[in-house]
Amino acid sequence: MSALLDIADLRLSFRLWSGTVEVLHGISLSIAKGERVALVGESGSGKSVTARIVLGLIQELKGATVSGRIRFDGQDLGRLSPRARHALRGTEMSMIFQDPTSSLNPVFPILRQFREVLARRTPRISEAEARARATEALREVAIHEADRVLASYPFQLSGGMNQRVMIAMALANRPKLLIADEPGTALDVTVQAQTLDLMRKLVADHGTAVLFISHNLGVVREFADRTYVIYRGRIVEQGPTAAVFADPRHAYTRALLAAQPRLTGGALPEIAERDPAFENPMEVHP
Amino acid sequence: MSLLVLWGVSVLIFAIARVIPGNPARVALGPNATQDQVDALAAALYLDRNILVQYAFWLRDLMRGDLGRSLYTNRPVTQDIAEFLPATLELIFLAAMLMIVAGLPLGILAARFRGRWPDHVIRVFSLLTVSAPSFVWAVALMLAFAYFLPIFPIAGRLSEAYSIPRVTGFLTIDTLLAGNLHAFANALRHMVLPAVALSLSGIGQAARLTRANMIETYEKPYIEMSQAYGFPEGRIARTYAFRPSLIPSLTIIGLDIAALLGNAFLVEAVFGWPGLSRYGVQVILRKDLNAIVGTVLVIAALFLIVNIIVDILTVLLNPRIRLGEARP
Ligand SMILES: Nc1ncnc2c1ncn2[C@@H]1O[C@H](COP(=O)(O)OP(=O)(O)O)[C@@H](O)[C@H]1O
Ligand SMILES: [Mg+2]
């Protein structure tokens, strides 16, 4: 299997005033081309930092130390020059955030931001060409009044509309990998479900691989081919989504599933207390 | 609204000017004048009348565009102001430009390289410039760059060698109208030190403010988005982080520009700059009532104009205000 993304023994620690804390303790995770992979776990378990390491954002922080190996599309990211590393962002990999409205710049119209995204692939793209390509990308997310949307500021659009704009931007440069960090958690449940549906169709059409981060197991079950369960900076269980849900083997996964209120519920899983069984070795489904 | 403020200022300064002890007529005529002469002048100025009557007369004259006569120059106050105001405006305009074109980029640079050497240098610079008043910088700059290193002229607006017909009173404009580029350069050279002295604290202040607001903006999700999409770091700093940060800075920068008017008093004194501020100091010392009130009124009007410009800019730069919050 030629993995698009292959992470091996990833460790991350932060140097703080109080000393050094390790937040990722050797994570291994891989995503095949066009595969949709979920990373689930409660908040603070290290999902977002994993995503940001893949993009190379954490490495730029002062006081962060990253070790381990990350291969993306046949290249060892750790060996790339900063420039080559930067060149991947917004082109080969892109990202969708939790709250679409606050992820768009409030003082620039959508077209301006769209053009900047398109310019990552097509430097010096003209305004007319950017408008044409943005209109096309918006059509894919079922926005047909592109002119109005492109002229708008994010605060003039609804959250669901901004989410579609974000999805259109994220896929406009045809990335090989899309990272979605709890996408649309800030939106209401129906709108979230609609936009995720849209996103799933689009990534399937384009063959885009997705690293889908969520604490909502109902959504994960719908979306992902394979699932990794993360607990306090360690992967505790992994396997095909159906297998993990049907036959959770790790104590933490069972607790997580039991704590999930409803399939569509957006609430944080409340896991009563820490349990020594949560520290058990990783379970791998074939 | 603005007119109401101006009116309030006029009442206040009118009252204060008249409460200062000493008989203005006596000061104007000097110690050798007879009491009769002094009384006659006082009567001509309505100084023997009730303060309310005095104010009513003054207000009536103001409506006709007449601010009364100056006892010191013995000319209409409006004429004095027309003579001295352009020099001050020219200086303040240059200082305000310096504040903006130096202060904002320094703040952007410090925020972009936060915690690295450009940030440290800029923060030390800001702290230094903010911590000393502008007249201290005026004296220091004059000693350094006009006295020990005679790069710039010590005082005045233009060398004696040039005679430029007065059209607008703005020497940078009048020299160009006269087609005399040497005189233009000379006038600019005269402006450099006073303008830098006047603007230094403002530059530091603008840099600090911009840096602080930008650091807050850098925490916003939309900046992380632009980094995740690999927008060039320089563009993120100059555009995507700077523009949202400018909106909260604007009001304070506007106030700092307006404050240049006050600071100009001492800077003009140090550099022998024949501006309104220097005129204002002289007329206060001579208890020249009409001139004091007229000068303060003009300065208050300038303050208001700066504020109005800031309000307009705030609306233009903030789409939320410009377009309203309405969702379709
Ligand atoms: N810049 C940082 N400095 C120090 N600690 C951090 C930083 N970013 C994240 N962390 C810590 O790393 C852990 C994982 O965070 P995160 O990946 O955001 O969790 P989540 O799974 O909720 O996305 C948390 O304990 C968090 O406090
Ligand atoms: Mg997170």
Side-chain angles (χ1 to χ4, degrees):
Chain A
M1 184 186 82
S2 75
L4 174 69
L5 179 72
D6 189 21
I7 300 176
D9 197 30
L10 182 65
R11 287 167 194 275
L12 165 68
S13 52
F14 288 109
R15 213 172 48 246
L16 305 172
W17 290 113
S18 49
T20 303
V21 284
E22 194 175 78
V23 297
L24 296 179
H25 316 287
I27 284 194
S28 297
L29 178 156
S30 79
I31 303 179
K33 289 200 167 76
E35 193 185 21
R36 297 188 299 259
V37 169
L39 181 59
V40 298
E42 61 194 320
S43 91
S45 54
K47 307 182 297 294
S48 295
V49 290
T50 304
R52 282 157 179 76
I53 289 173
V54 173
L55 281 166
L57 295 172
I58 297 277
Q59 289 87 329
E60 291 175 359
L61 293 180
K62 257 189 166 179
T65 313
V66 177
S67 71
R69 203 201 51 194
I70 308 173
R71 293 186 66 81
F72 175 77
D73 205 15
Q75 296 166 296
D76 186 339
L77 294 188
R79 288 172 194 272
L80 286 186
S81 68
R83 176 186 282 270
R85 188 78 197 69
H86 187 269
L88 295 173
R89 286 189 212 156
T91 56
E92 300 298 336
M93 35 174 95
S94 67
M95 184 151 174
I96 292 176
F97 297 84
Q98 199 165 0
D99 177 6
T101 304
S102 58
S103 309
L104 291 164
N105 198 304
V107 303
F108 294 101
I110 302 292
L111 175 59
R112 170 79 180 256
Q113 304 182 54
F114 224 119
R115 184 176 173 188
E116 196 80 57
V117 170
L118 291 168
R120 294 290 298 142
R121 267 274 198 238
T122 321
R124 286 185 288 281
I125 188 171
S126 72
E127 173 160 346
E129 197 189 340
R131 180 183 295 278
R133 289 195 34 204
T135 305
E136 186 54 40
L138 289 177
R139 205 193 322 274
E140 287 193 341
V141 293
I143 294 178
H144 299 290
E145 3 141 52
D147 282 339
R148 179 181 71 83
V149 170
L150 289 173
S152 299
Y153 292 84
F155 68 89
Q156 295 175 293
L157 303 173
S158 68
M161 195 62 111
N162 282 326
Q163 180 70 336
R164 290 177 198 213
V165 168
M166 254 342 294
I167 294 171
M169 277 185 188
L171 297 175
N173 286 332
R174 299 288 176 261
K176 296 196 173 82
L177 175 67
L178 171 65
I179 299 172
D181 190 353
E182 316 215 4
T185 313
L187 304 174
D188 74 60
V189 181
T190 22
V191 176
Q192 188 187 357
Q194 279 169 2
T195 49
L196 283 179
D197 229 37
L198 198 69
M199 188 168 105
R200 191 181 44 200
K201 288 200 186 85
L202 280 173
V203 294
D205 286 354
H206 297 309
T208 316
V210 183
L211 175 59
F212 186 84
I213 292 173
S214 182
H215 56 242
N216 186 332
L217 297 179
V219 170
V220 166
R221 177 180 252 169
E222 299 266 305
F223 193 90
D225 305 323
R226 279 194 308 122
T227 296
Y228 288 79
V229 180
I230 184 173
Y231 172 69
R232 290 177 170 260
R234 281 196 182 82
I235 302 290
V236 295
E237 182 156 356
Q238 71 164 84
T241 305
V244 171
F245 277 74
D247 175 25
R249 293 181 189 166
H250 195 277
Y252 176 72
T253 314
R254 287 202 203 112
L256 199 61
L257 281 169
Q260 199 71 18
R262 302 277 168 272
L263 281 189
T264 47
L268 283 172
E270 284 287 344
I271 291 166
E273 54 204 81
R274 294 176 69 173
D275 189 318
F278 292 171
E279 314 288 344
N280 288 348
M282 173 164 69
E283 300 280 353
V284 181
H285 295 258
Chain B
M1 175 59 203
S2 307
L3 283 178
L4 212 67
V5 172
L6 270 186
W7 175 77
V9 169
S10 83
V11 172
L12 199 68
I13 190 65
F14 196 87
I16 290 172
R18 258 141 253 255
V19 170
I20 307 173
N23 183 340
R26 166 60 73 190
V27 179
L29 293 174
N32 297 327
T34 65
Q35 188 60 43
D36 281 350
Q37 286 172 312
V38 171
D39 288 346
L41 181 61
L45 292 169
Y46 313 116
L47 288 178
D48 52 348
R49 309 283 278 275
N50 174 316
I51 186 164
L52 289 178
V53 177
Q54 290 183 36
Y55 184 72
F57 277 121
W58 180 82
L59 206 57
R60 183 201 64 192
D61 289 345
L62 179 67
M63 292 303 151
R64 303 182 192 136
D66 179 1
L67 288 168
R69 259 177 187 280
S70 161
L71 299 178
Y72 159 53
T73 59
N74 198 26
R75 296 191 306 186
V77 169
T78 45
Q79 197 181 327
D80 283 348
I81 289 174
E83 176 171 345
F84 295 116
L85 182 61
T88 294
L89 282 184
E90 208 169 26
L91 189 60
I92 284 173
F93 186 76
L94 186 61
M97 292 307 277
L98 284 176
M99 235 176 97
I100 291 165
V101 303
L104 300 186
L106 284 176
I108 294 174
L109 218 59
R112 177 178 167 193
F113 295 105
R114 184 184 178 187
R116 291 191 262 164
W117 71 263
D119 186 25
H120 298 313
V121 171
I122 290 165
R123 283 166 74 190
V124 169
F125 167 83
S126 306
L127 198 67
L128 272 177
T129 53
V130 170
S131 55
S134 46
F135 72 89
V136 172
W137 294 118
V139 174
L141 287 175
M142 179 191 253
L143 283 176
F145 298 109
Y147 187 76
F148 289 117
L149 291 173
I151 304 171
F152 294 105
I154 280 212
R157 292 178 77 195
L158 194 65
S159 298
E160 305 273 322
Y162 301 101
S163 102
I164 299 295
R166 183 187 171 96
V167 185
T168 60
F170 295 90
L171 274 180
T172 43
I173 296 176
D174 287 353
T175 50
L176 288 180
L177 287 178
N180 191 336
L181 285 181
H182 287 289
F184 174 74
N186 185 273
L188 265 189
R189 275 162 44 83
H190 277 83
M191 283 170 77
V192 170
L193 289 186
V196 169
L198 189 55
S199 64
L200 263 184
S201 302
I203 292 174
Q205 187 71 34
R208 275 157 56 111
L209 193 67
T210 305
R211 176 184 182 274
N213 283 331
M214 276 186 66
I215 282 173
E216 215 178 304
T217 305
Y218 263 108
E219 303 290 315
K220 295 276 164 61
Y222 53 81
I223 296 300
E224 186 178 33
M225 181 270 179
S226 52
Q227 288 167 335
Y229 279 77
F231 294 5
E233 276 300 324
R235 272 181 75 71
I236 293 177
R238 285 190 312 269
T239 311
Y240 295 102
F242 172 65
R243 273 286 292 278
S245 314
L246 185 58
I247 296 165
S249 314
L250 215 54
T251 315
I252 296 178
I253 291 175
L255 285 177
D256 283 344
I257 288 177
L260 292 176
L261 289 164
N263 293 334
F265 270 75
L266 288 162
V267 172
E268 287 188 3
V270 172
F271 284 98
W273 191 261
L276 190 66
S277 307
R278 217 176 55 144
Y279 173 74
V281 172
Q282 282 167 351
V283 296
I284 287 172
L285 293 178
R286 283 166 213 263
K287 206 166 180 330
D288 187 346
L289 296 183
N290 287 335
I292 295 172
V293 176
T295 306
V296 171
L297 212 56
V298 168
I299 289 178
L302 289 177
F303 248 96
L304 287 174
I305 290 169
V306 171
N307 270 317
I308 290 168
I309 292 174
V310 166
D311 285 351
I312 293 172
L313 280 179
T314 306
V315 172
L316 286 181
L317 285 177
N318 191 342
R320 252 180 229 272
I321 302 180
R322 179 156 43 95
L323 303 170
E325 288 270 3
R327 285 173 176 221

